Amino acid sequence: MADFDLIVIGAGPGGYVCAIRAAQLGLKVACVEGRDTLGGTCLNVGCIPSKALLHATHSLHEAEHSFEKMGLRVARPKVDWEAMQAYKADVIAGNTKGIEFLFKKNKVTWLKGWARIVAPGKVKVGDDLHLARSIVIASGSEPASLPGIAIDEEVIVTSTGALSLGKPPKSMVVIGAGVIGLEMGSVYARLGAEVTVIEYLDAITPGMDAEVAKSFQKILQKQGLSFTLGAAVQSVERTRKGARVTYRLKKDDSEHSVEAEIVLVATGRKPFTKGLGLDGLGVELTERGQIKTDKQFQTSVPGVYAIGDAIVGPMLAHKAEDEGMAVAEIIAGKHGHVNYDVIPGVIYTSPEVATVGKTEEQLKAEGRAYKVGKFSFMGNGRAKAVFQAEGFVKMLADKDTDRILGCHIIGPGAGDLIHEVCVAMEFGAAAQDLALTCHAHPTYSEAVREAALACGDGAIHA
Ligand code: NAI
């Protein structure tokens, strides 16, 4: 007889959400986690700690740049790095303990240790063998470095080291202008570092709507970040002062180098499946090392499922959560479903950038007839009142049916604003549906409505 109906491997946002939902549906559930705390990369060394540092340094920036303009005279704030790190640690602890509480409340057993699947239905944690009717792999991802670069997490760091530096550096080179590079680059630029971002492609944030990416780059440059685009990094070597990054410019193949106290390697992540015993089990992987699954999240081995960063798709905590809930429903004999067309993406810089659905470039490539409704936060009274009028909302709708196809926002609170568009898209709404919905004044959300109006007869405040 099985010990559990379900064993979930990994307690990140995919795994813990799956475990809780399955328990709520009446299954006897265990979740295996080898870290000392629950929550995975996201809560321990990812989304949550980075948000603490982004919030603290954004507050610093506000105090330095906006307070006087509002008639607030205070002494220039001093950064107490140890205290800021302690604040970050408190935030992490509050969140990870919260998951422990939720496990207890929902009667999910935490099996402490690293799991290995020895056969379908059999999971070894240390020396203990546990039997389960179903297994869900939610083992997440780890940083993917570049060949020949030795990460030491002190001078040459991934996001993990970047969250816990000994002190804020005076200079930093960031390799990769993706989400991690720009969020962490923003943190240290606000703390006074000279930040140089080196990116292989010719634009920052690959895959993002090009107009938004361009505007985003300009805004970040005004904040002091500098960008070297179209540059292939060749090597990173430790020096007396820190490390030297050598790169080749693609346009003329010329070689250059730049030295900094800290080098952050933020060139993407790869599935973390080490030690799970997938080889012996015969679980099929893609050529990029992702676990292959069918539409029900089942791997090539019956009874073994996989979700989140370990499988195909965007490496986002909320995508993993949705898959976690869906696979729990499926295992419990219900219908689980994830709508991959409506998964928002957010970059938590200041201003934030948020996006959902198709970009203009994708629509062009697909040959779709579309219309664009744009509205600048310069026309939004609330944003102007708080010195956050940089940026705009860009809505894309089908030219004939007016159905919303995508939305891209750079501006205050973009990460929250995007969700009314997500809901609208889930319901197959037209831009006019949003345009006809009363929005409270004065809110940033009015900018979303104005962009929807701009898809029709025109925005009012443009
Ligand atoms: P990323 O895929 O977002 O960006 C990596 C960047 O590195 C790309 O622009 C790529 O062109 C560049 N690159 C690759 N090789 C290079 C080279 N040799 N030289 C120069 N540039 C090079 O990956 P990132 O930022 O490391 O993030 C990893 C994952 O974590 C992503 O999937 C991201 O979505 C996720 N994440 C999400 C966050 C959020 O939702 N706010 C926050 C942090 C991470």
Side-chain angles (χ1 to χ4, degrees), residues 68-80:
E68 273 211 18
K69 290 193 253 178
M70 295 185 282
L72 294 170
R73 293 200 193 287
V74 290
R76 199 167 183 274
K78 274 198 202 124
V79 174
D80 179 340

Side-chain angles (χ1 to χ4, degrees), residues 24-324:
Q24 287 171 340
L25 295 172
L27 302 189
K28 192 174 175 209
V29 185
C31 183
V32 193
E33 175 55 59
R35 276 179 209 267
D36 294 337
T37 47
L38 300 172
T41 300
C42 174
L43 270 66
N44 289 282
V45 286
C47 326
I48 296 300
S50 63
K51 259 76 274 172
L53 293 186
L54 279 159
H55 176 68
T57 56
H58 175 64
S59 306
L60 171 69
H61 189 267
E62 286 281 281
E64 285 173 341
H65 297 275
S66 303
F67 276 20
E68 273 211 18
K69 290 193 253 178
M70 295 185 282
L72 294 170
R73 293 200 193 287
V74 290
R76 199 167 183 274
K78 274 198 202 124
V79 174
D80 179 340
W81 183 241
E82 271 179 33
M84 200 183 281
Q85 287 285 319
Y87 150 65
K88 185 198 75 181
D90 276 352
V91 170
I92 295 172
N95 278 275
T96 57
K97 290 212 177 84
I99 309 299
E100 237 178 289
F101 164 78
L102 290 175
F103 271 13
K104 282 193 188 122
K105 183 178 159 196
N106 288 285
K107 301 194 173 51
V108 173
T109 305
W110 175 6
L111 300 174
K112 295 185 185 180
W114 300 99
R116 196 159 66 83
I117 309 172
V118 290
K122 293 184 181 169
V123 177
K124 246 187 152 177
V125 182
D127 293 331
D128 300 332
L129 182 67
H130 302 274
L131 307 183
R133 259 187 275 280
S134 305
I135 297 169
V136 171
I137 302 170
S139 52
S141 61
E142 60 180 344
S145 181
L146 297 170
I149 295 181
I151 303 287
D152 55 34
E153 294 296 9
E154 277 176 17
V155 170
I156 306 171
V157 299
T158 66
S159 52
T160 304
L163 289 166
S164 302
L165 297 178
K167 61 177 175 25
K170 292 204 169 57
S171 56
M172 177 179 242
V173 169
V174 175
I175 306 176
V179 192
I180 292 179
L182 299 181
E183 288 187 355
M184 293 314 296
S186 294
V187 163
Y188 288 106
R190 291 173 196 159
L191 289 168
E194 203 177 291
V195 175
T196 308
V197 184
I198 302 179
E199 165 60 44
Y200 182 77
L201 298 173
D202 295 321
I204 68 168
T205 53
M208 183 179 283
D209 189 279
E211 205 177 356
V212 177
K214 231 178 176 170
S215 166
F216 188 28
Q217 185 183 337
K218 277 195 195 139
I219 291 173
L220 291 173
Q221 277 165 342
K222 272 208 278 178
Q223 294 176 7
L225 281 81
S226 68
F227 292 91
T228 304
L229 303 180
V233 169
Q234 307 294 304
S235 61
V236 183
E237 284 154 21
R238 287 284 294 257
T239 58
R240 208 169 46 81
K241 282 192 209 144
R244 180 183 302 284
V245 179
T246 306
Y247 59 90
R248 266 181 196 284
L249 287 182
K250 288 194 285 173
K251 61 176 185 205
D252 55 11
D253 206 32
S254 56
E255 193 173 280
H256 305 260
S257 70
V258 52
E259 198 178 4
E261 273 181 37
I262 297 289
V263 173
L264 166 62
V265 182
T267 50
R269 296 177 64 85
K270 59 180 183 199
F272 176 69
T273 53
K274 247 184 284 169
L276 286 175
L278 300 187
D279 263 3
L281 207 60
V283 169
E284 280 177 35
L285 304 181
T286 68
E287 60 204 21
R288 298 178 59 197
Q290 300 146 316
I291 299 173
K292 278 191 195 172
T293 57
D294 62 13
K295 288 211 163 71
Q296 310 282 299
F297 305 101
Q298 186 155 241
T299 68
S300 53
V301 176
V304 179
Y305 300 79
I307 56 164
D309 284 10
I311 70 168
V312 176
M315 289 183 162
L316 296 170
H318 45 281
K319 175 255 194 191
E321 288 181 35
D322 278 26
E323 289 176 344

Side-chain angles (χ1 to χ4, degrees), residues 308-366:
D309 284 10
I311 70 168
V312 176
M315 289 183 162
L316 296 170
H318 45 281
K319 175 255 194 191
E321 288 181 35
D322 278 26
E323 289 176 344
M325 278 198 276
V327 77
E329 306 263 351
I330 289 166
I331 291 168
K334 297 174 165 260
H335 293 288
H337 164 78
V338 177
N339 180 2
Y340 290 98
D341 292 335
V342 186
I343 294 187
V346 179
I347 308 182
Y348 299 87
T349 43
S350 185
E352 290 181 350
V353 183
T355 152
V356 66
K358 305 272 185 190
T359 63
E360 191 167 356
E361 291 69 36
Q362 282 173 324
L363 293 175
K364 270 191 192 138
E366 288 172 13

